[in-house]
Structures are given as structure tokens and as C-alpha cells.
Amino acid sequence: MKRLLIVDDEANIRLVVKEYAEFEGYEVAEAEDGMQAVELVKSQDFDVIIMDIMMPRLDGFSACKEIKKYKNIPVIMLSARGEEYDKLFGFELGIDDYVVKPFSPKELMARVKAVIKRSEHAAPANPDRLKFEGLEIDMAGREVYVNGKRVSMTPKEYDLLFYLVKNSNIALTRDKLLEEVWGYDFFGDDRTVDTHIKMLRNSLGEYRKFIVTLRGMGYKFEVR
């Protein structure tokens, strides 16, 4: 049975989400703030965390950052705000999805199912270690080095970079990238790809030059 952790300081929201989750067959644990969530993650395993951003003691962003130090558990963020900054910051922390309040509990469950499916069917890594000038990519170890220094990236940045590299010099549409990196059932749009490409380029520094924008179409990892 899949286990969910619901983190929200509003008891009514936890109750509604718990009822729908249990109806879908999930086992549910609850936390009313980020501090409790971190402690639960240290002692228990979960398949997905549904976490509010604005909470007392420790907010959702800080809790997510702390949790990632211990375990790589998919996180769906809940927020009453839909600003692009919040979404971008969340994706930089490695969250898997972002839901704006008020939300449909049925849609939230669909997103939970999609996140679990993507997590279970992640493509196996290529064992080769590739080098493009001062950019080194260790597929098996999921590590990236820029001029010998290891770069810390979000899980989706790694997935996106690895897919681009595996298809070097091939033009890839935004839809194709969404389909292959996020999955058929991802609740997102073209801007999700653009946002992560921007994050990835920032991580690669001077070697961002390898990721070429194809105007009106998508991107490719171009090497000569």
C-alpha cells in the first residue's frame, strides 16, 4: 500500500485530503507543520508528500529542503498563491508538482497517482561518463561536473539534461520533452519545460551554450 504524508496547518484541509486519499487506497500520515514533517520523514518512509507552503514553525519550502537531505521523496506543494516565483523556487528545490488553492481533491489525487507512476517508471541511467569540454556527465552516478566542480541540481534538471544528452543534435519539441521527461500524465504546459531549461542553463554556467533554443519549437543539446 502506498503511503502519503499530508502536511498542512489547516486541519480541515488535512481531513479532506485524507478522506479522498484513503478512499483511493492510500495509507495516510499527517503533520501540522514543517517540523513535524521532517521528524516523520526521518523515522518513516513515504511514497509522496503533499505539503502546504505557508505554515508556522517551519514553512513548506524550508521543510522540503531539509527533507531532501535525508530522503528523495516526491513532493507536491500546495499554495494559496500562484505566482511564478513560488513555482520556480519550488522546482529549484526539487518538488514534483505544484497545486494552487482552492483545489479539487479529485485532481490532487490524479496528480498523486501521476507522480507515483513517474517515480516508479523512471528510466534507468546510462552507465557512460560523458565529457563535453569542461562539462562532465556521469549518467550512472547522476552527477554533473563543471570544470571539475560538482554541480548540485534538482532531480528534474538531471532528468532533462540526461534526456537531451542522450539525444544530442536531435531537435526536440517542448511536447516531446514533456512526454519523455515528465510523462504522458503530467499536469503542466510548455512553460514547465522553459522554466527547467532556464534552471539547467544556470547550473551549467558557461556550458549552457550546448543547450540550443529552437525558436517556436523546442531545444536540442548541440555538440560538434
Side-chain angles (χ1 to χ4, degrees):
M1 180 181 292
K2 301 298 183 183
R3 303 192 72 229
L4 306 186
L5 173 60
I6 303 170
V7 190
D8 199 303
D9 59 320
E10 296 185 44
N12 288 340
I13 290 181
R14 296 201 308 272
L15 177 60
V16 170
V17 176
K18 180 179 180 179
E19 287 180 345
Y20 274 82
E22 289 181 339
F23 180 79
E24 294 288 336
Y26 298 109
E27 182 180 335
V28 177
E30 299 178 51
E32 61 183 26
D33 59 51
M35 288 286 195
Q36 287 188 2
V38 173
E39 292 306 313
L40 281 172
V41 168
K42 288 181 180 179
S43 60
Q44 301 180 38
D45 290 323
F46 299 97
D47 295 282
V48 175
I49 299 173
I50 300 171
M51 181 148 51
D52 186 34
I53 293 177
M54 302 300 293
M55 294 183 294
R57 298 182 70 200
L58 190 67
D59 65 88
F61 285 144
S62 299
C64 179
K65 187 175 181 179
E66 190 66 21
I67 285 170
K68 294 295 183 181
K69 294 179 182 178
Y70 300 97
K71 296 176 182 177
N72 188 24
I73 303 173
V75 176
I76 298 176
M77 280 291 190
L78 303 178
S79 176
R81 308 192 311 176
E83 281 87 346
E84 182 180 7
Y85 170 80
D86 286 345
K87 294 181 180 181
L88 178 60
F89 188 64
F91 286 132
E92 286 177 343
L93 290 177
I95 70 168
D96 293 77
D97 208 344
Y98 188 104
V99 178
V100 179
K101 296 179 179 179
F103 57 85
S104 161
K106 288 184 178 180
E107 179 185 341
L108 179 59
M109 289 302 103
R111 290 174 182 251
V112 168
K113 184 177 180 180
V115 166
I116 290 176
K117 183 177 178 182
R118 291 200 301 272
S119 177
E120 290 179 339
H121 294 83
N126 187 320
D128 294 337
R129 186 177 182 121
L130 307 174
K131 186 170 183 178
F132 307 93
E133 297 181 17
L135 173 64
E136 294 183 66
I137 302 171
D138 182 353
M139 296 285 194
R142 286 180 70 83
E143 294 180 346
V144 176
Y145 297 84
V146 170
N147 295 326
K149 184 178 180 180
R150 183 178 176 182
V151 179
S152 178
M153 301 194 300
T154 68
K156 272 292 173 283
E157 282 183 84
Y158 285 117
D159 293 341
L160 181 57
L161 176 60
F162 293 167
Y163 185 76
L164 286 167
V165 170
K166 289 176 183 177
N167 294 276
S168 294
N169 297 321
I170 297 176
L172 301 166
T173 65
R174 290 176 174 82
D175 286 343
K176 181 65 173 177
L177 290 170
L178 274 175
E179 176 185 313
E180 296 295 336
V181 179
W182 279 267
Y184 287 102
D185 40 16
F186 177 69
F187 290 81
D189 54 30
D190 291 353
R191 287 173 296 181
T192 298
V193 175
D194 295 337
T195 296
H196 282 79
I197 286 289
K198 180 179 179 181
M199 293 162 51
L200 180 56
R201 282 173 166 161
N202 288 338
S203 297
L204 298 184
E206 64 184 287
Y207 302 110
R208 60 191 295 139
K209 65 183 180 181
F210 290 118
I211 301 177
V212 178
T213 300
L214 305 174
R215 191 175 298 277
M217 180 187 176
Y219 302 91
K220 71 174 176 179
F221 191 88
E222 186 173 87
V223 292
R224 297 181 177 84

